[in-house]
mmCIF file with all atom_site columns, all heavy atoms in Angstrom:
data_model
loop_
_atom_site.group_PDB
_atom_site.id
_atom_site.type_symbol
_atom_site.label_atom_id
_atom_site.label_alt_id
_atom_site.label_comp_id
_atom_site.label_asym_id
_atom_site.label_entity_id
_atom_site.label_seq_id
_atom_site.pdbx_PDB_ins_code
_atom_site.Cartn_x
_atom_site.Cartn_y
_atom_site.Cartn_z
_atom_site.occupancy
_atom_site.B_iso_or_equiv
_atom_site.pdbx_formal_charge
_atom_site.auth_seq_id
_atom_site.auth_comp_id
_atom_site.auth_asym_id
_atom_site.auth_atom_id
_atom_site.pdbx_PDB_model_num
ATOM 1   N N   . ASN A 1 1  ? -2.580  4.258   -13.558 1.00 66.00 ? 2  ASN A N   1
ATOM 2   C CA  . ASN A 1 1  ? -3.619  4.721   -14.457 1.00 66.00 ? 2  ASN A CA  1
ATOM 3   C C   . ASN A 1 1  ? -5.013  4.425   -13.928 1.00 66.00 ? 2  ASN A C   1
ATOM 4   O O   . ASN A 1 1  ? -5.842  5.302   -13.824 1.00 66.00 ? 2  ASN A O   1
ATOM 5   C CB  . ASN A 1 1  ? -3.461  4.101   -15.845 1.00 66.00 ? 2  ASN A CB  1
ATOM 6   C CG  . ASN A 1 1  ? -2.218  4.616   -16.530 1.00 66.00 ? 2  ASN A CG  1
ATOM 7   O OD1 . ASN A 1 1  ? -1.726  5.674   -16.180 1.00 66.00 ? 2  ASN A OD1 1
ATOM 8   N ND2 . ASN A 1 1  ? -1.708  3.866   -17.481 1.00 66.00 ? 2  ASN A ND2 1
ATOM 9   N N   . GLU A 1 2  ? -5.264  3.182   -13.612 1.00 85.00 ? 3  GLU A N   1
ATOM 10  C CA  . GLU A 1 2  ? -6.599  2.818   -13.166 1.00 85.00 ? 3  GLU A CA  1
ATOM 11  C C   . GLU A 1 2  ? -6.524  1.980   -11.907 1.00 85.00 ? 3  GLU A C   1
ATOM 12  O O   . GLU A 1 2  ? -5.656  1.131   -11.758 1.00 85.00 ? 3  GLU A O   1
ATOM 13  C CB  . GLU A 1 2  ? -7.325  2.011   -14.243 1.00 85.00 ? 3  GLU A CB  1
ATOM 14  C CG  . GLU A 1 2  ? -7.679  2.816   -15.455 1.00 85.00 ? 3  GLU A CG  1
ATOM 15  C CD  . GLU A 1 2  ? -8.515  2.005   -16.434 1.00 85.00 ? 3  GLU A CD  1
ATOM 16  O OE1 . GLU A 1 2  ? -9.352  1.201   -15.987 1.00 85.00 ? 3  GLU A OE1 1
ATOM 17  O OE2 . GLU A 1 2  ? -8.298  2.178   -17.623 1.00 85.00 ? 3  GLU A OE2 1
ATOM 18  N N   . LEU A 1 3  ? -7.454  2.223   -11.006 1.00 84.00 ? 4  LEU A N   1
ATOM 19  C CA  . LEU A 1 3  ? -7.563  1.436   -9.783  1.00 84.00 ? 4  LEU A CA  1
ATOM 20  C C   . LEU A 1 3  ? -8.720  0.466   -9.957  1.00 84.00 ? 4  LEU A C   1
ATOM 21  O O   . LEU A 1 3  ? -9.701  0.757   -10.654 1.00 84.00 ? 4  LEU A O   1
ATOM 22  C CB  . LEU A 1 3  ? -7.814  2.345   -8.594  1.00 84.00 ? 4  LEU A CB  1
ATOM 23  C CG  . LEU A 1 3  ? -6.654  3.245   -8.212  1.00 84.00 ? 4  LEU A CG  1
ATOM 24  C CD1 . LEU A 1 3  ? -7.087  4.226   -7.126  1.00 84.00 ? 4  LEU A CD1 1
ATOM 25  C CD2 . LEU A 1 3  ? -5.479  2.428   -7.732  1.00 84.00 ? 4  LEU A CD2 1
ATOM 26  N N   . PRO A 1 4  ? -8.635  -0.696  -9.309  1.00 84.00 ? 5  PRO A N   1
ATOM 27  C CA  . PRO A 1 4  ? -9.748  -1.644  -9.419  1.00 84.00 ? 5  PRO A CA  1
ATOM 28  C C   . PRO A 1 4  ? -11.000 -1.059  -8.756  1.00 84.00 ? 5  PRO A C   1
ATOM 29  O O   . PRO A 1 4  ? -10.906 -0.282  -7.805  1.00 84.00 ? 5  PRO A O   1
ATOM 30  C CB  . PRO A 1 4  ? -9.252  -2.882  -8.687  1.00 84.00 ? 5  PRO A CB  1
ATOM 31  C CG  . PRO A 1 4  ? -8.127  -2.430  -7.841  1.00 84.00 ? 5  PRO A CG  1
ATOM 32  C CD  . PRO A 1 4  ? -7.562  -1.205  -8.483  1.00 84.00 ? 5  PRO A CD  1
ATOM 33  N N   . PRO A 1 5  ? -12.168 -1.447  -9.235  1.00 86.00 ? 6  PRO A N   1
ATOM 34  C CA  . PRO A 1 5  ? -13.402 -0.874  -8.706  1.00 86.00 ? 6  PRO A CA  1
ATOM 35  C C   . PRO A 1 5  ? -13.859 -1.481  -7.377  1.00 86.00 ? 6  PRO A C   1
ATOM 36  O O   . PRO A 1 5  ? -14.597 -0.841  -6.627  1.00 86.00 ? 6  PRO A O   1
ATOM 37  C CB  . PRO A 1 5  ? -14.428 -1.151  -9.811  1.00 86.00 ? 6  PRO A CB  1
ATOM 38  C CG  . PRO A 1 5  ? -13.915 -2.361  -10.501 1.00 86.00 ? 6  PRO A CG  1
ATOM 39  C CD  . PRO A 1 5  ? -12.426 -2.289  -10.410 1.00 86.00 ? 6  PRO A CD  1
ATOM 40  N N   . ASP A 1 6  ? -13.390 -2.708  -7.047  1.00 86.00 ? 7  ASP A N   1
ATOM 41  C CA  . ASP A 1 6  ? -13.919 -3.350  -5.841  1.00 86.00 ? 7  ASP A CA  1
ATOM 42  C C   . ASP A 1 6  ? -13.091 -2.992  -4.600  1.00 86.00 ? 7  ASP A C   1
ATOM 43  O O   . ASP A 1 6  ? -11.882 -2.779  -4.660  1.00 86.00 ? 7  ASP A O   1
ATOM 44  C CB  . ASP A 1 6  ? -13.988 -4.878  -6.038  1.00 86.00 ? 7  ASP A CB  1
ATOM 45  C CG  . ASP A 1 6  ? -12.648 -5.484  -6.325  1.00 86.00 ? 7  ASP A CG  1
ATOM 46  O OD1 . ASP A 1 6  ? -12.003 -5.075  -7.325  1.00 86.00 ? 7  ASP A OD1 1
ATOM 47  O OD2 . ASP A 1 6  ? -12.212 -6.351  -5.543  1.00 86.00 ? 7  ASP A OD2 1
ATOM 48  N N   . SER A 1 7  ? -13.789 -2.933  -3.474  1.00 86.00 ? 8  SER A N   1
ATOM 49  C CA  . SER A 1 7  ? -13.163 -2.488  -2.228  1.00 86.00 ? 8  SER A CA  1
ATOM 50  C C   . SER A 1 7  ? -12.146 -3.507  -1.693  1.00 86.00 ? 8  SER A C   1
ATOM 51  O O   . SER A 1 7  ? -11.179 -3.129  -1.033  1.00 86.00 ? 8  SER A O   1
ATOM 52  C CB  . SER A 1 7  ? -14.228 -2.194  -1.176  1.00 86.00 ? 8  SER A CB  1
ATOM 53  O OG  . SER A 1 7  ? -14.946 -3.364  -0.867  1.00 86.00 ? 8  SER A OG  1
ATOM 54  N N   . ARG A 1 8  ? -12.332 -4.801  -1.979  1.00 89.00 ? 9  ARG A N   1
ATOM 55  C CA  . ARG A 1 8  ? -11.411 -5.813  -1.479  1.00 89.00 ? 9  ARG A CA  1
ATOM 56  C C   . ARG A 1 8  ? -10.004 -5.567  -2.025  1.00 89.00 ? 9  ARG A C   1
ATOM 57  O O   . ARG A 1 8  ? -9.023  -5.528  -1.291  1.00 89.00 ? 9  ARG A O   1
ATOM 58  C CB  . ARG A 1 8  ? -11.907 -7.206  -1.857  1.00 89.00 ? 9  ARG A CB  1
ATOM 59  C CG  . ARG A 1 8  ? -11.060 -8.336  -1.266  1.00 89.00 ? 9  ARG A CG  1
ATOM 60  C CD  . ARG A 1 8  ? -11.546 -9.720  -1.668  1.00 89.00 ? 9  ARG A CD  1
ATOM 61  N NE  . ARG A 1 8  ? -11.468 -9.996  -3.090  1.00 89.00 ? 9  ARG A NE  1
ATOM 62  C CZ  . ARG A 1 8  ? -10.358 -10.342 -3.747  1.00 89.00 ? 9  ARG A CZ  1
ATOM 63  N NH1 . ARG A 1 8  ? -9.230  -10.444 -3.115  1.00 89.00 ? 9  ARG A NH1 1
ATOM 64  N NH2 . ARG A 1 8  ? -10.394 -10.579 -5.043  1.00 89.00 ? 9  ARG A NH2 1
ATOM 65  N N   . ARG A 1 9  ? -9.872  -5.386  -3.312  1.00 86.00 ? 10 ARG A N   1
ATOM 66  C CA  . ARG A 1 9  ? -8.559  -5.140  -3.914  1.00 86.00 ? 10 ARG A CA  1
ATOM 67  C C   . ARG A 1 9  ? -8.020  -3.765  -3.531  1.00 86.00 ? 10 ARG A C   1
ATOM 68  O O   . ARG A 1 9  ? -6.821  -3.601  -3.322  1.00 86.00 ? 10 ARG A O   1
ATOM 69  C CB  . ARG A 1 9  ? -8.641  -5.287  -5.436  1.00 86.00 ? 10 ARG A CB  1
ATOM 70  C CG  . ARG A 1 9  ? -8.808  -6.748  -5.842  1.00 86.00 ? 10 ARG A CG  1
ATOM 71  C CD  . ARG A 1 9  ? -8.634  -6.958  -7.316  1.00 86.00 ? 10 ARG A CD  1
ATOM 72  N NE  . ARG A 1 9  ? -9.770  -6.402  -8.037  1.00 86.00 ? 10 ARG A NE  1
ATOM 73  C CZ  . ARG A 1 9  ? -9.877  -6.327  -9.357  1.00 86.00 ? 10 ARG A CZ  1
ATOM 74  N NH1 . ARG A 1 9  ? -8.909  -6.795  -10.117 1.00 86.00 ? 10 ARG A NH1 1
ATOM 75  N NH2 . ARG A 1 9  ? -10.935 -5.812  -9.938  1.00 86.00 ? 10 ARG A NH2 1
ATOM 76  N N   . LEU A 1 10 ? -8.892  -2.794  -3.425  1.00 87.00 ? 11 LEU A N   1
ATOM 77  C CA  . LEU A 1 10 ? -8.435  -1.458  -3.007  1.00 87.00 ? 11 LEU A CA  1
ATOM 78  C C   . LEU A 1 10 ? -7.850  -1.492  -1.590  1.00 87.00 ? 11 LEU A C   1
ATOM 79  O O   . LEU A 1 10 ? -6.838  -0.859  -1.301  1.00 87.00 ? 11 LEU A O   1
ATOM 80  C CB  . LEU A 1 10 ? -9.582  -0.441  -3.083  1.00 87.00 ? 11 LEU A CB  1
ATOM 81  C CG  . LEU A 1 10 ? -9.995  -0.015  -4.490  1.00 87.00 ? 11 LEU A CG  1
ATOM 82  C CD1 . LEU A 1 10 ? -11.290 0.797   -4.431  1.00 87.00 ? 11 LEU A CD1 1
ATOM 83  C CD2 . LEU A 1 10 ? -8.884  0.771   -5.149  1.00 87.00 ? 11 LEU A CD2 1
ATOM 84  N N   . ARG A 1 11 ? -8.500  -2.278  -0.687  1.00 89.00 ? 12 ARG A N   1
ATOM 85  C CA  . ARG A 1 11 ? -7.980  -2.408  0.683   1.00 89.00 ? 12 ARG A CA  1
ATOM 86  C C   . ARG A 1 11 ? -6.610  -3.114  0.677   1.00 89.00 ? 12 ARG A C   1
ATOM 87  O O   . ARG A 1 11 ? -5.722  -2.765  1.444   1.00 89.00 ? 12 ARG A O   1
ATOM 88  C CB  . ARG A 1 11 ? -8.970  -3.163  1.562   1.00 89.00 ? 12 ARG A CB  1
ATOM 89  C CG  . ARG A 1 11 ? -10.191 -2.369  1.904   1.00 89.00 ? 12 ARG A CG  1
ATOM 90  C CD  . ARG A 1 11 ? -11.088 -3.082  2.897   1.00 89.00 ? 12 ARG A CD  1
ATOM 91  N NE  . ARG A 1 11 ? -12.444 -2.608  2.860   1.00 89.00 ? 12 ARG A NE  1
ATOM 92  C CZ  . ARG A 1 11 ? -12.863 -1.429  3.280   1.00 89.00 ? 12 ARG A CZ  1
ATOM 93  N NH1 . ARG A 1 11 ? -12.015 -0.580  3.774   1.00 89.00 ? 12 ARG A NH1 1
ATOM 94  N NH2 . ARG A 1 11 ? -14.121 -1.082  3.192   1.00 89.00 ? 12 ARG A NH2 1
ATOM 95  N N   . LYS A 1 12 ? -6.450  -4.110  -0.188  1.00 90.00 ? 13 LYS A N   1
ATOM 96  C CA  . LYS A 1 12 ? -5.164  -4.811  -0.312  1.00 90.00 ? 13 LYS A CA  1
ATOM 97  C C   . LYS A 1 12 ? -4.073  -3.839  -0.776  1.00 90.00 ? 13 LYS A C   1
ATOM 98  O O   . LYS A 1 12 ? -2.955  -3.830  -0.255  1.00 90.00 ? 13 LYS A O   1
ATOM 99  C CB  . LYS A 1 12 ? -5.264  -5.966  -1.307  1.00 90.00 ? 13 LYS A CB  1
ATOM 100 C CG  . LYS A 1 12 ? -5.924  -7.179  -0.774  1.00 90.00 ? 13 LYS A CG  1
ATOM 101 C CD  . LYS A 1 12 ? -4.891  -7.965  -0.017  1.00 90.00 ? 13 LYS A CD  1
ATOM 102 C CE  . LYS A 1 12 ? -5.438  -9.370  0.200   1.00 90.00 ? 13 LYS A CE  1
ATOM 103 N NZ  . LYS A 1 12 ? -4.631  -10.117 1.114   1.00 90.00 ? 13 LYS A NZ  1
ATOM 104 N N   . ILE A 1 13 ? -4.383  -3.050  -1.764  1.00 86.00 ? 14 ILE A N   1
ATOM 105 C CA  . ILE A 1 13 ? -3.416  -2.080  -2.288  1.00 86.00 ? 14 ILE A CA  1
ATOM 106 C C   . ILE A 1 13 ? -3.057  -1.068  -1.200  1.00 86.00 ? 14 ILE A C   1
ATOM 107 O O   . ILE A 1 13 ? -1.886  -0.734  -0.997  1.00 86.00 ? 14 ILE A O   1
ATOM 108 C CB  . ILE A 1 13 ? -3.984  -1.371  -3.539  1.00 86.00 ? 14 ILE A CB  1
ATOM 109 C CG1 . ILE A 1 13 ? -4.092  -2.364  -4.700  1.00 86.00 ? 14 ILE A CG1 1
ATOM 110 C CG2 . ILE A 1 13 ? -3.117  -0.174  -3.929  1.00 86.00 ? 14 ILE A CG2 1
ATOM 111 C CD1 . ILE A 1 13 ? -4.847  -1.828  -5.910  1.00 86.00 ? 14 ILE A CD1 1
ATOM 112 N N   . LEU A 1 14 ? -4.072  -0.588  -0.484  1.00 87.00 ? 15 LEU A N   1
ATOM 113 C CA  . LEU A 1 14 ? -3.844  0.380   0.590   1.00 87.00 ? 15 LEU A CA  1
ATOM 114 C C   . LEU A 1 14 ? -2.968  -0.224  1.689   1.00 87.00 ? 15 LEU A C   1
ATOM 115 O O   . LEU A 1 14 ? -2.033  0.421   2.174   1.00 87.00 ? 15 LEU A O   1
ATOM 116 C CB  . LEU A 1 14 ? -5.184  0.849   1.161   1.00 87.00 ? 15 LEU A CB  1
ATOM 117 C CG  . LEU A 1 14 ? -5.122  1.955   2.200   1.00 87.00 ? 15 LEU A CG  1
ATOM 118 C CD1 . LEU A 1 14 ? -4.465  3.204   1.632   1.00 87.00 ? 15 LEU A CD1 1
ATOM 119 C CD2 . LEU A 1 14 ? -6.517  2.276   2.709   1.00 87.00 ? 15 LEU A CD2 1
ATOM 120 N N   . ALA A 1 15 ? -3.238  -1.473  2.063   1.00 89.00 ? 16 ALA A N   1
ATOM 121 C CA  . ALA A 1 15 ? -2.428  -2.137  3.093   1.00 89.00 ? 16 ALA A CA  1
ATOM 122 C C   . ALA A 1 15 ? -0.978  -2.272  2.632   1.00 89.00 ? 16 ALA A C   1
ATOM 123 O O   . ALA A 1 15 ? -0.029  -2.044  3.396   1.00 89.00 ? 16 ALA A O   1
ATOM 124 C CB  . ALA A 1 15 ? -3.018  -3.505  3.423   1.00 89.00 ? 16 ALA A CB  1
ATOM 125 N N   . HIS A 1 16 ? -0.783  -2.639  1.369   1.00 88.00 ? 17 HIS A N   1
ATOM 126 C CA  . HIS A 1 16 ? 0.566   -2.765  0.823   1.00 88.00 ? 17 HIS A CA  1
ATOM 127 C C   . HIS A 1 16 ? 1.283   -1.413  0.842   1.00 88.00 ? 17 HIS A C   1
ATOM 128 O O   . HIS A 1 16 ? 2.458   -1.321  1.232   1.00 88.00 ? 17 HIS A O   1
ATOM 129 C CB  . HIS A 1 16 ? 0.519   -3.319  -0.606  1.00 88.00 ? 17 HIS A CB  1
ATOM 130 C CG  . HIS A 1 16 ? 1.843   -3.322  -1.284  1.00 88.00 ? 17 HIS A CG  1
ATOM 131 N ND1 . HIS A 1 16 ? 2.826   -4.225  -0.974  1.00 88.00 ? 17 HIS A ND1 1
ATOM 132 C CD2 . HIS A 1 16 ? 2.351   -2.505  -2.241  1.00 88.00 ? 17 HIS A CD2 1
ATOM 133 C CE1 . HIS A 1 16 ? 3.896   -3.976  -1.709  1.00 88.00 ? 17 HIS A CE1 1
ATOM 134 N NE2 . HIS A 1 16 ? 3.627   -2.939  -2.490  1.00 88.00 ? 17 HIS A NE2 1
ATOM 135 N N   . LEU A 1 17 ? 0.593   -0.359  0.423   1.00 85.00 ? 18 LEU A N   1
ATOM 136 C CA  . LEU A 1 17 ? 1.205   0.971   0.413   1.00 85.00 ? 18 LEU A CA  1
ATOM 137 C C   . LEU A 1 17 ? 1.555   1.431   1.832   1.00 85.00 ? 18 LEU A C   1
ATOM 138 O O   . LEU A 1 17 ? 2.630   2.008   2.057   1.00 85.00 ? 18 LEU A O   1
ATOM 139 C CB  . LEU A 1 17 ? 0.268   1.980   -0.263  1.00 85.00 ? 18 LEU A CB  1
ATOM 140 C CG  . LEU A 1 17 ? 0.080   1.781   -1.773  1.00 85.00 ? 18 LEU A CG  1
ATOM 141 C CD1 . LEU A 1 17 ? -1.003  2.727   -2.287  1.00 85.00 ? 18 LEU A CD1 1
ATOM 142 C CD2 . LEU A 1 17 ? 1.389   2.003   -2.509  1.00 85.00 ? 18 LEU A CD2 1
ATOM 143 N N   . ASP A 1 18 ? 0.681   1.162   2.796   1.00 84.00 ? 19 ASP A N   1
ATOM 144 C CA  . ASP A 1 18 ? 0.971   1.517   4.193   1.00 84.00 ? 19 ASP A CA  1
ATOM 145 C C   . ASP A 1 18 ? 2.204   0.773   4.698   1.00 84.00 ? 19 ASP A C   1
ATOM 146 O O   . ASP A 1 18 ? 3.061   1.330   5.382   1.00 84.00 ? 19 ASP A O   1
ATOM 147 C CB  . ASP A 1 18 ? -0.228  1.219   5.089   1.00 84.00 ? 19 ASP A CB  1
ATOM 148 C CG  . ASP A 1 18 ? -1.358  2.219   4.893   1.00 84.00 ? 19 ASP A CG  1
ATOM 149 O OD1 . ASP A 1 18 ? -1.103  3.322   4.364   1.00 84.00 ? 19 ASP A OD1 1
ATOM 150 O OD2 . ASP A 1 18 ? -2.498  1.888   5.284   1.00 84.00 ? 19 ASP A OD2 1
ATOM 151 N N   . LYS A 1 19 ? 2.291   -0.514  4.331   1.00 87.00 ? 20 LYS A N   1
ATOM 152 C CA  . LYS A 1 19 ? 3.435   -1.327  4.745   1.00 87.00 ? 20 LYS A CA  1
ATOM 153 C C   . LYS A 1 19 ? 4.734   -0.771  4.143   1.00 87.00 ? 20 LYS A C   1
ATOM 154 O O   . LYS A 1 19 ? 5.752   -0.652  4.828   1.00 87.00 ? 20 LYS A O   1
ATOM 155 C CB  . LYS A 1 19 ? 3.218   -2.773  4.316   1.00 87.00 ? 20 LYS A CB  1
ATOM 156 C CG  . LYS A 1 19 ? 4.333   -3.715  4.681   1.00 87.00 ? 20 LYS A CG  1
ATOM 157 C CD  . LYS A 1 19 ? 4.019   -5.115  4.191   1.00 87.00 ? 20 LYS A CD  1
ATOM 158 C CE  . LYS A 1 19 ? 5.250   -6.000  4.320   1.00 87.00 ? 20 LYS A CE  1
ATOM 159 N NZ  . LYS A 1 19 ? 5.040   -7.293  3.690   1.00 87.00 ? 20 LYS A NZ  1
ATOM 160 N N   . GLU A 1 20 ? 4.726   -0.437  2.885   1.00 84.00 ? 21 GLU A N   1
ATOM 161 C CA  . GLU A 1 20 ? 5.919   0.105   2.222   1.00 84.00 ? 21 GLU A CA  1
ATOM 162 C C   . GLU A 1 20 ? 6.310   1.462   2.810   1.00 84.00 ? 21 GLU A C   1
ATOM 163 O O   . GLU A 1 20 ? 7.490   1.742   3.003   1.00 84.00 ? 21 GLU A O   1
ATOM 164 C CB  . GLU A 1 20 ? 5.684   0.234   0.714   1.00 84.00 ? 21 GLU A CB  1
ATOM 165 C CG  . GLU A 1 20 ? 5.635   -1.093  -0.013  1.00 84.00 ? 21 GLU A CG  1
ATOM 166 C CD  . GLU A 1 20 ? 6.938   -1.861  0.112   1.00 84.00 ? 21 GLU A CD  1
ATOM 167 O OE1 . GLU A 1 20 ? 8.008   -1.267  -0.107  1.00 84.00 ? 21 GLU A OE1 1
ATOM 168 O OE2 . GLU A 1 20 ? 6.879   -3.057  0.435   1.00 84.00 ? 21 GLU A OE2 1
ATOM 169 N N   . LEU A 1 21 ? 5.318   2.295   3.107   1.00 82.00 ? 22 LEU A N   1
ATOM 170 C CA  . LEU A 1 21 ? 5.620   3.592   3.723   1.00 82.00 ? 22 LEU A CA  1
ATOM 171 C C   . LEU A 1 21 ? 6.278   3.415   5.085   1.00 82.00 ? 22 LEU A C   1
ATOM 172 O O   . LEU A 1 21 ? 7.242   4.098   5.422   1.00 82.00 ? 22 LEU A O   1
ATOM 173 C CB  . LEU A 1 21 ? 4.339   4.425   3.859   1.00 82.00 ? 22 LEU A CB  1
ATOM 174 C CG  . LEU A 1 21 ? 3.856   5.124   2.588   1.00 82.00 ? 22 LEU A CG  1
ATOM 175 C CD1 . LEU A 1 21 ? 2.479   5.730   2.816   1.00 82.00 ? 22 LEU A CD1 1
ATOM 176 C CD2 . LEU A 1 21 ? 4.847   6.191   2.182   1.00 82.00 ? 22 LEU A CD2 1
ATOM 177 N N   . ALA A 1 22 ? 5.749   2.476   5.881   1.00 82.00 ? 23 ALA A N   1
ATOM 178 C CA  . ALA A 1 22 ? 6.321   2.229   7.214   1.00 82.00 ? 23 ALA A CA  1
ATOM 179 C C   . ALA A 1 22 ? 7.753   1.710   7.091   1.00 82.00 ? 23 ALA A C   1
ATOM 180 O O   . ALA A 1 22 ? 8.648   2.128   7.824   1.00 82.00 ? 23 ALA A O   1
ATOM 181 C CB  . ALA A 1 22 ? 5.453   1.246   7.981   1.00 82.00 ? 23 ALA A CB  1
ATOM 182 N N   . ALA A 1 23 ? 7.996   0.785   6.158   1.00 82.00 ? 24 ALA A N   1
ATOM 183 C CA  . ALA A 1 23 ? 9.345   0.235   5.972   1.00 82.00 ? 24 ALA A CA  1
ATOM 184 C C   . ALA A 1 23 ? 10.312  1.321   5.529   1.00 82.00 ? 24 ALA A C   1
ATOM 185 O O   . ALA A 1 23 ? 11.437  1.407   6.022   1.00 82.00 ? 24 ALA A O   1
ATOM 186 C CB  . ALA A 1 23 ? 9.309   -0.908  4.965   1.00 82.00 ? 24 ALA A CB  1
ATOM 187 N N   . ASN A 1 24 ? 9.882   2.141   4.609   1.00 83.00 ? 25 ASN A N   1
ATOM 188 C CA  . ASN A 1 24 ? 10.759  3.205   4.124   1.00 83.00 ? 25 ASN A CA  1
ATOM 189 C C   . ASN A 1 24 ? 10.962  4.284   5.174   1.00 83.00 ? 25 ASN A C   1
ATOM 190 O O   . ASN A 1 24 ? 12.013  4.915   5.217   1.00 83.00 ? 25 ASN A O   1
ATOM 191 C CB  . ASN A 1 24 ? 10.211  3.797   2.830   1.00 83.00 ? 25 ASN A CB  1
ATOM 192 C CG  . ASN A 1 24 ? 10.361  2.831   1.666   1.00 83.00 ? 25 ASN A CG  1
ATOM 193 O OD1 . ASN A 1 24 ? 11.321  2.084   1.609   1.00 83.00 ? 25 ASN A OD1 1
ATOM 194 N ND2 . ASN A 1 24 ? 9.408   2.829   0.760   1.00 83.00 ? 25 ASN A ND2 1
ATOM 195 N N   . GLU A 1 25 ? 9.993   4.484   6.030   1.00 80.00 ? 26 GLU A N   1
ATOM 196 C CA  . GLU A 1 25 ? 10.155  5.459   7.115   1.00 80.00 ? 26 GLU A CA  1
ATOM 197 C C   . GLU A 1 25 ? 11.214  4.967   8.094   1.00 80.00 ? 26 GLU A C   1
ATOM 198 O O   . GLU A 1 25 ? 12.039  5.735   8.570   1.00 80.00 ? 26 GLU A O   1
ATOM 199 C CB  . GLU A 1 25 ? 8.814   5.674   7.828   1.00 80.00 ? 26 GLU A CB  1
ATOM 200 C CG  . GLU A 1 25 ? 8.878   6.733   8.903   1.00 80.00 ? 26 GLU A CG  1
ATOM 201 C CD  . GLU A 1 25 ? 7.518   6.977   9.539   1.00 80.00 ? 26 GLU A CD  1
ATOM 202 O OE1 . GLU A 1 25 ? 6.491   6.647   8.933   1.00 80.00 ? 26 GLU A OE1 1
ATOM 203 O OE2 . GLU A 1 25 ? 7.518   7.500   10.660  1.00 80.00 ? 26 GLU A OE2 1
ATOM 204 N N   . THR A 1 26 ? 11.223  3.659   8.383   1.00 80.00 ? 27 THR A N   1
ATOM 205 C CA  . THR A 1 26 ? 12.232  3.088   9.267   1.00 80.00 ? 27 THR A CA  1
ATOM 206 C C   . THR A 1 26 ? 13.621  3.258   8.668   1.00 80.00 ? 27 THR A C   1
ATOM 207 O O   . THR A 1 26 ? 14.565  3.673   9.341   1.00 80.00 ? 27 THR A O   1
ATOM 208 C CB  . THR A 1 26 ? 11.948  1.597   9.518   1.00 80.00 ? 27 THR A CB  1
ATOM 209 O OG1 . THR A 1 26 ? 10.638  1.468   10.085  1.00 80.00 ? 27 THR A OG1 1
ATOM 210 C CG2 . THR A 1 26 ? 12.964  0.976   10.438  1.00 80.00 ? 27 THR A CG2 1
ATOM 211 N N   . VAL A 1 27 ? 13.748  2.956   7.393   1.00 79.00 ? 28 VAL A N   1
ATOM 212 C CA  . VAL A 1 27 ? 15.038  3.124   6.722   1.00 79.00 ? 28 VAL A CA  1
ATOM 213 C C   . VAL A 1 27 ? 15.443  4.591   6.717   1.00 79.00 ? 28 VAL A C   1
ATOM 214 O O   . VAL A 1 27 ? 16.596  4.936   6.976   1.00 79.00 ? 28 VAL A O   1
ATOM 215 C CB  . VAL A 1 27 ? 14.975  2.555   5.280   1.00 79.00 ? 28 VAL A CB  1
ATOM 216 C CG1 . VAL A 1 27 ? 16.218  2.924   4.496   1.00 79.00 ? 28 VAL A CG1 1
ATOM 217 C CG2 . VAL A 1 27 ? 14.801  1.057   5.308   1.00 79.00 ? 28 VAL A CG2 1
ATOM 218 N N   . GLY A 1 28 ? 14.493  5.463   6.460   1.00 79.00 ? 29 GLY A N   1
ATOM 219 C CA  . GLY A 1 28 ? 14.782  6.896   6.454   1.00 79.00 ? 29 GLY A CA  1
ATOM 220 C C   . GLY A 1 28 ? 15.249  7.382   7.825   1.00 79.00 ? 29 GLY A C   1
ATOM 221 O O   . GLY A 1 28 ? 16.196  8.172   7.929   1.00 79.00 ? 29 GLY A O   1
ATOM 222 N N   . THR A 1 29 ? 14.601  6.912   8.885   1.00 82.00 ? 30 THR A N   1
ATOM 223 C CA  . THR A 1 29 ? 15.009  7.291   10.242  1.00 82.00 ? 30 THR A CA  1
ATOM 224 C C   . THR A 1 29 ? 16.419  6.801   10.525  1.00 82.00 ? 30 THR A C   1
ATOM 225 O O   . THR A 1 29 ? 17.254  7.534   11.045  1.00 82.00 ? 30 THR A O   1
ATOM 226 C CB  . THR A 1 29 ? 14.032  6.694   11.279  1.00 82.00 ? 30 THR A CB  1
ATOM 227 O OG1 . THR A 1 29 ? 12.720  7.195   11.007  1.00 82.00 ? 30 THR A OG1 1
ATOM 228 C CG2 . THR A 1 29 ? 14.434  7.052   12.689  1.00 82.00 ? 30 THR A CG2 1
ATOM 229 N N   . TYR A 1 30 ? 16.714  5.557   10.164  1.00 80.00 ? 31 TYR A N   1
ATOM 230 C CA  . TYR A 1 30 ? 18.050  5.002   10.368  1.00 80.00 ? 31 TYR A CA  1
ATOM 231 C C   . TYR A 1 30 ? 19.101  5.827   9.601   1.00 80.00 ? 31 TYR A C   1
ATOM 232 O O   . TYR A 1 30 ? 20.145  6.176   10.146  1.00 80.00 ? 31 TYR A O   1
ATOM 233 C CB  . TYR A 1 30 ? 18.089  3.540   9.907   1.00 80.00 ? 31 TYR A CB  1
ATOM 234 C CG  . TYR A 1 30 ? 19.472  2.963   9.867   1.00 80.00 ? 31 TYR A CG  1
ATOM 235 C CD1 . TYR A 1 30 ? 20.119  2.577   11.032  1.00 80.00 ? 31 TYR A CD1 1
ATOM 236 C CD2 . TYR A 1 30 ? 20.157  2.824   8.656   1.00 80.00 ? 31 TYR A CD2 1
ATOM 237 C CE1 . TYR A 1 30 ? 21.400  2.057   11.007  1.00 80.00 ? 31 TYR A CE1 1
ATOM 238 C CE2 . TYR A 1 30 ? 21.438  2.303   8.626   1.00 80.00 ? 31 TYR A CE2 1
ATOM 239 C CZ  . TYR A 1 30 ? 22.050  1.924   9.797   1.00 80.00 ? 31 TYR A CZ  1
ATOM 240 O OH  . TYR A 1 30 ? 23.314  1.424   9.764   1.00 80.00 ? 31 TYR A OH  1
#
């Protein structure tokens, strides 16, 4: 629904999402 307004937390969320995408891509490839 809502994203935090500050860039520090947004960067953390983005890093987490990138990490999850990479992990799921590895599983998908396997």
Side-chain angles (χ1 to χ4, degrees):
N2 292 338
E3 291 186 36
L4 292 173
D7 60 302
S8 63
R9 185 181 64 79
R10 288 191 289 174
L11 287 170
R12 288 186 202 290
K13 282 277 195 190
I14 292 171
L15 185 59
H17 173 74
L18 291 173
D19 286 341
K20 180 181 169 188
E21 289 299 312
L22 281 171
N25 289 326
E26 184 177 339
T27 302
V28 171
T30 300
Y31 170 77

